[in-house]
Amino acid sequence: MCCLQCNDSRITLGDIVGVIGCGFAGQVIMQCAKLIGASQVMAIDPSPYKLEIAKKMGADVLLNPQKKDIREKIFAITKNKGVDVVVEAAGSENSMILATDITARNGKIVLYSWITENINLNISRWHDDGIDIITTGLVHHTVQERFVWSQKALRVIAQKQVKIDPLITKTYSLENIQEAFEEVVRESSTPIIKAIIRP
């Protein structure tokens, strides 16, 4: 599904793409952005573990959003232009503020995650700088449409254009399903990108 949502993001050849949030979806979207033709992909996440996986998946630049100089670094890399397409895949107030701050004039903010709480956000830049806001909630499509896009999404995985196996960082047996849910929520010592429960 993340593959098709990346396609909906309107990334074009040569774009600089920033992905805020390097969980499973963010990692897949980064790979798809490179396949579409992004000239540079920035992985933005506070977890060194997730950034290391992003590097293996092809990210060109690794950035920690908790560092105070992240905006300066991004504008230095982009020659003071900003990022052409920012994919928000973290789902927080801070990630939305960062997305708004680093998007280039006439750029795009792609909303992948769901933010279920009210947030404070100054959207004047969206208007002043002609920023496009794109939502990619494919789960809201009709059942008939899902038959079409799910085949396309699975095709790039089957052809190994998008790597999924390195993102499966933990496997549990069905009898340990309770432990699986507890560990995924807790993310104790090593963050879990994606867990699989097998019979």
Side-chain angles (χ1 to χ4, degrees), residues 98-165:
L98 179 61
T100 299
D101 287 350
I102 66 173
T103 302
R105 186 177 180 86
N106 300 125
K108 306 176 187 83
I109 296 176
V110 179
L111 304 178
Y112 170 82
S113 64
W114 276 295
I115 299 175
T116 57
E117 298 175 352
N118 293 334
I119 64 172
N120 291 313
L121 185 63
N122 183 348
I123 63 170
S124 63
R125 266 214 76 220
W126 298 3
H127 300 284
D128 297 343
D129 291 343
I131 293 172
D132 287 337
I133 307 301
I134 303 165
T135 58
T136 61
L138 290 176
V139 293
H140 302 300
H141 286 218
T142 64
V143 173
Q144 292 79 9
E145 286 177 293
R146 291 181 200 181
F147 282 113
V148 175
W149 60 251
S150 61
Q151 290 179 33
K152 288 183 181 179
L154 293 172
R155 192 178 303 144
V156 295
I157 295 167
Q159 293 174 348
K160 302 198 183 305
Q161 292 176 283
V162 172
K163 298 172 188 169
I164 296 295
D165 289 347

